[in-house]
Amino acid sequence: MQPDRVTVQGTLASAIGRITGEKVLPQGSGRTDAGVHALAQVVTFATESSVPTANFVTALNDILPASVRVLEADQAPADFHVRKSTRAKTYRYRIYRQSICPPFLARYVWHYPYPLNEAAMAKAAGAVIGEHDFTSFAAVDAEHGREDHPASNVRQIFSSTWAREDEELVYTVRGSGFLHHMVRNLVGTLILVGKGTLEIEDIARILETRNRSAAGATAPASGLYLVSVEY
């Protein structure tokens, strides 16, 4: 929630409050930057309301703006923690490759029509699989470890792939957790491999340096999606 901006958390809190009559602060599995999209965010909140759990879906969607939808509602066990109980997350990044980007897609992709060696990018993506210190791919700010284990930048990546989907080049990455800007910084670095500025072998070297300046620029927020959260 931010006092001067409309946020998903603030909008959801207001809607829940109207239904329950309580002052509720919903907690998400993690935060997404402005401009990033969430297809399946998970949120918890505590309530003493008598409203049946299943009714929250219809009731909230009647109140929420069209930009936010509740897909389902369930009662969680007392020991469930929406962030600490997370086992894995999957993110997707969409790059539109044609010369002209449809205006209806502009907010939801990174338009990059320039030449890229997509095969090299696909090979380089595999270099981040496994457990690594991702300091080189973390934002240089006080919130770089904000999702979980804030004292450590070590994360485990289970899969990291690029795939062509018609006019789009799509990066999908699944891991135990992600640092602030981590996926966008990975994409920005893998783009350099596609351009020929970096070699495939450079990804391992960048990981080892643990220095943000060794990696590429942060890719735009518009192409990034939180796809799923696993528990």
PDB file of all heavy atoms in Angstrom, residues 200-213:
ATOM      1  N   ILE A 200      27.845 -17.162 -24.336  1.00  0.00           N
ATOM      2  CA  ILE A 200      27.089 -18.046 -23.452  1.00  0.00           C
ATOM      3  C   ILE A 200      27.851 -18.303 -22.158  1.00  0.00           C
ATOM      4  O   ILE A 200      27.293 -18.299 -21.056  1.00  0.00           O
ATOM      5  CB  ILE A 200      26.777 -19.380 -24.166  1.00  0.00           C
ATOM      6  CG1 ILE A 200      25.860 -19.123 -25.367  1.00  0.00           C
ATOM      7  CG2 ILE A 200      26.148 -20.380 -23.204  1.00  0.00           C
ATOM      8  CD1 ILE A 200      25.661 -20.336 -26.258  1.00  0.00           C
ATOM      9  N   GLU A 201      29.181 -18.470 -22.274  1.00  0.00           N
ATOM     10  CA  GLU A 201      30.010 -18.770 -21.101  1.00  0.00           C
ATOM     11  C   GLU A 201      30.080 -17.606 -20.114  1.00  0.00           C
ATOM     12  O   GLU A 201      30.454 -17.792 -18.945  1.00  0.00           O
ATOM     13  CB  GLU A 201      31.427 -19.135 -21.552  1.00  0.00           C
ATOM     14  CG  GLU A 201      31.515 -20.392 -22.406  1.00  0.00           C
ATOM     15  CD  GLU A 201      31.051 -20.176 -23.842  1.00  0.00           C
ATOM     16  OE1 GLU A 201      30.963 -19.002 -24.265  1.00  0.00           O
ATOM     17  OE2 GLU A 201      30.771 -21.179 -24.528  1.00  0.00           O
ATOM     18  N   ASP A 202      29.740 -16.416 -20.556  1.00  0.00           N
ATOM     19  CA  ASP A 202      29.821 -15.247 -19.685  1.00  0.00           C
ATOM     20  C   ASP A 202      28.787 -15.271 -18.566  1.00  0.00           C
ATOM     21  O   ASP A 202      28.967 -14.607 -17.537  1.00  0.00           O
ATOM     22  CB  ASP A 202      29.642 -13.956 -20.493  1.00  0.00           C
ATOM     23  CG  ASP A 202      30.849 -13.644 -21.358  1.00  0.00           C
ATOM     24  OD1 ASP A 202      31.976 -13.980 -20.935  1.00  0.00           O
ATOM     25  OD2 ASP A 202      30.665 -13.079 -22.450  1.00  0.00           O
ATOM     26  N   ILE A 203      27.699 -16.009 -18.726  1.00  0.00           N
ATOM     27  CA  ILE A 203      26.660 -16.045 -17.691  1.00  0.00           C
ATOM     28  C   ILE A 203      27.214 -16.615 -16.387  1.00  0.00           C
ATOM     29  O   ILE A 203      26.992 -16.078 -15.302  1.00  0.00           O
ATOM     30  CB  ILE A 203      25.437 -16.852 -18.164  1.00  0.00           C
ATOM     31  CG1 ILE A 203      24.849 -16.250 -19.450  1.00  0.00           C
ATOM     32  CG2 ILE A 203      24.377 -16.902 -17.061  1.00  0.00           C
ATOM     33  CD1 ILE A 203      24.374 -14.822 -19.313  1.00  0.00           C
ATOM     34  N   ALA A 204      27.957 -17.702 -16.487  1.00  0.00           N
ATOM     35  CA  ALA A 204      28.570 -18.303 -15.298  1.00  0.00           C
ATOM     36  C   ALA A 204      29.557 -17.335 -14.659  1.00  0.00           C
ATOM     37  O   ALA A 204      29.630 -17.216 -13.425  1.00  0.00           O
ATOM     38  CB  ALA A 204      29.258 -19.610 -15.658  1.00  0.00           C
ATOM     39  N   ARG A 205      30.315 -16.630 -15.474  1.00  0.00           N
ATOM     40  CA  ARG A 205      31.280 -15.656 -14.947  1.00  0.00           C
ATOM     41  C   ARG A 205      30.569 -14.526 -14.210  1.00  0.00           C
ATOM     42  O   ARG A 205      31.006 -14.096 -13.133  1.00  0.00           O
ATOM     43  CB  ARG A 205      32.107 -15.083 -16.101  1.00  0.00           C
ATOM     44  CG  ARG A 205      33.081 -13.976 -15.681  1.00  0.00           C
ATOM     45  CD  ARG A 205      33.756 -13.348 -16.878  1.00  0.00           C
ATOM     46  NE  ARG A 205      32.813 -12.790 -17.840  1.00  0.00           N
ATOM     47  CZ  ARG A 205      32.206 -11.614 -17.674  1.00  0.00           C
ATOM     48  NH1 ARG A 205      32.410 -10.880 -16.577  1.00  0.00           N
ATOM     49  NH2 ARG A 205      31.369 -11.160 -18.591  1.00  0.00           N
ATOM     50  N   ILE A 206      29.468 -14.051 -14.769  1.00  0.00           N
ATOM     51  CA  ILE A 206      28.709 -12.963 -14.143  1.00  0.00           C
ATOM     52  C   ILE A 206      28.152 -13.409 -12.792  1.00  0.00           C
ATOM     53  O   ILE A 206      28.183 -12.658 -11.812  1.00  0.00           O
ATOM     54  CB  ILE A 206      27.578 -12.500 -15.086  1.00  0.00           C
ATOM     55  CG1 ILE A 206      28.171 -11.802 -16.310  1.00  0.00           C
ATOM     56  CG2 ILE A 206      26.611 -11.562 -14.362  1.00  0.00           C
ATOM     57  CD1 ILE A 206      27.174 -11.526 -17.408  1.00  0.00           C
ATOM     58  N   LEU A 207      27.668 -14.641 -12.730  1.00  0.00           N
ATOM     59  CA  LEU A 207      27.183 -15.172 -11.444  1.00  0.00           C
ATOM     60  C   LEU A 207      28.298 -15.173 -10.403  1.00  0.00           C
ATOM     61  O   LEU A 207      28.086 -14.792  -9.247  1.00  0.00           O
ATOM     62  CB  LEU A 207      26.649 -16.597 -11.629  1.00  0.00           C
ATOM     63  CG  LEU A 207      25.241 -16.761 -12.196  1.00  0.00           C
ATOM     64  CD1 LEU A 207      25.006 -18.211 -12.589  1.00  0.00           C
ATOM     65  CD2 LEU A 207      24.195 -16.306 -11.182  1.00  0.00           C
ATOM     66  N   GLU A 208      29.478 -15.585 -10.812  1.00  0.00           N
ATOM     67  CA  GLU A 208      30.601 -15.708  -9.884  1.00  0.00           C
ATOM     68  C   GLU A 208      31.089 -14.358  -9.371  1.00  0.00           C
ATOM     69  O   GLU A 208      31.591 -14.267  -8.245  1.00  0.00           O
ATOM     70  CB  GLU A 208      31.752 -16.455 -10.560  1.00  0.00           C
ATOM     71  CG  GLU A 208      31.449 -17.923 -10.822  1.00  0.00           C
ATOM     72  CD  GLU A 208      32.542 -18.602 -11.634  1.00  0.00           C
ATOM     73  OE1 GLU A 208      33.544 -17.910 -11.958  1.00  0.00           O
ATOM     74  OE2 GLU A 208      32.400 -19.801 -11.941  1.00  0.00           O
ATOM     75  N   THR A 209      30.961 -13.307 -10.161  1.00  0.00           N
ATOM     76  CA  THR A 209      31.454 -11.998  -9.728  1.00  0.00           C
ATOM     77  C   THR A 209      30.642 -11.407  -8.585  1.00  0.00           C
ATOM     78  O   THR A 209      31.143 -10.605  -7.805  1.00  0.00           O
ATOM     79  CB  THR A 209      31.444 -10.993 -10.891  1.00  0.00           C
ATOM     80  OG1 THR A 209      30.097 -10.772 -11.321  1.00  0.00           O
ATOM     81  CG2 THR A 209      32.281 -11.478 -12.054  1.00  0.00           C
ATOM     82  N   ARG A 210      29.353 -11.799  -8.504  1.00  0.00           N
ATOM     83  CA  ARG A 210      28.459 -11.259  -7.463  1.00  0.00           C
ATOM     84  C   ARG A 210      28.495  -9.731  -7.467  1.00  0.00           C
ATOM     85  O   ARG A 210      28.593  -9.082  -6.429  1.00  0.00           O
ATOM     86  CB  ARG A 210      28.819 -11.808  -6.087  1.00  0.00           C
ATOM     87  CG  ARG A 210      28.746 -13.321  -6.021  1.00  0.00           C
ATOM     88  CD  ARG A 210      29.089 -13.867  -4.651  1.00  0.00           C
ATOM     89  NE  ARG A 210      29.126 -15.318  -4.666  1.00  0.00           N
ATOM     90  CZ  ARG A 210      29.409 -16.079  -3.604  1.00  0.00           C
ATOM     91  NH1 ARG A 210      29.685 -15.496  -2.455  1.00  0.00           N
ATOM     92  NH2 ARG A 210      29.426 -17.394  -3.710  1.00  0.00           N
ATOM     93  N   ASN A 211      28.416  -9.178  -8.672  1.00  0.00           N
ATOM     94  CA  ASN A 211      28.498  -7.726  -8.849  1.00  0.00           C
ATOM     95  C   ASN A 211      27.437  -7.312  -9.875  1.00  0.00           C
ATOM     96  O   ASN A 211      27.490  -7.738 -11.024  1.00  0.00           O
ATOM     97  CB  ASN A 211      29.887  -7.339  -9.337  1.00  0.00           C
ATOM     98  CG  ASN A 211      30.095  -5.840  -9.372  1.00  0.00           C
ATOM     99  OD1 ASN A 211      29.151  -5.078  -9.580  1.00  0.00           O
ATOM    100  ND2 ASN A 211      31.332  -5.414  -9.171  1.00  0.00           N
ATOM    101  N   ARG A 212      26.507  -6.484  -9.452  1.00  0.00           N
ATOM    102  CA  ARG A 212      25.391  -6.088 -10.331  1.00  0.00           C
ATOM    103  C   ARG A 212      25.891  -5.441 -11.627  1.00  0.00           C
ATOM    104  O   ARG A 212      25.286  -5.625 -12.688  1.00  0.00           O
ATOM    105  CB  ARG A 212      24.459  -5.120  -9.583  1.00  0.00           C
ATOM    106  CG  ARG A 212      23.328  -4.535 -10.440  1.00  0.00           C
ATOM    107  CD  ARG A 212      22.331  -5.578 -10.855  1.00  0.00           C
ATOM    108  NE  ARG A 212      21.381  -5.048 -11.820  1.00  0.00           N
ATOM    109  CZ  ARG A 212      21.485  -5.140 -13.141  1.00  0.00           C
ATOM    110  NH1 ARG A 212      22.523  -5.762 -13.684  1.00  0.00           N
ATOM    111  NH2 ARG A 212      20.570  -4.633 -13.932  1.00  0.00           N
ATOM    112  N   SER A 213      26.994  -4.711 -11.564  1.00  0.00           N
ATOM    113  CA  SER A 213      27.491  -4.005 -12.743  1.00  0.00           C
ATOM    114  C   SER A 213      28.003  -4.954 -13.823  1.00  0.00           C
ATOM    115  O   SER A 213      28.187  -4.551 -14.971  1.00  0.00           O
ATOM    116  CB  SER A 213      28.597  -3.030 -12.354  1.00  0.00           C
ATOM    117  OG  SER A 213      29.714  -3.714 -11.823  1.00  0.00           O
TER     118      SER A 213
END
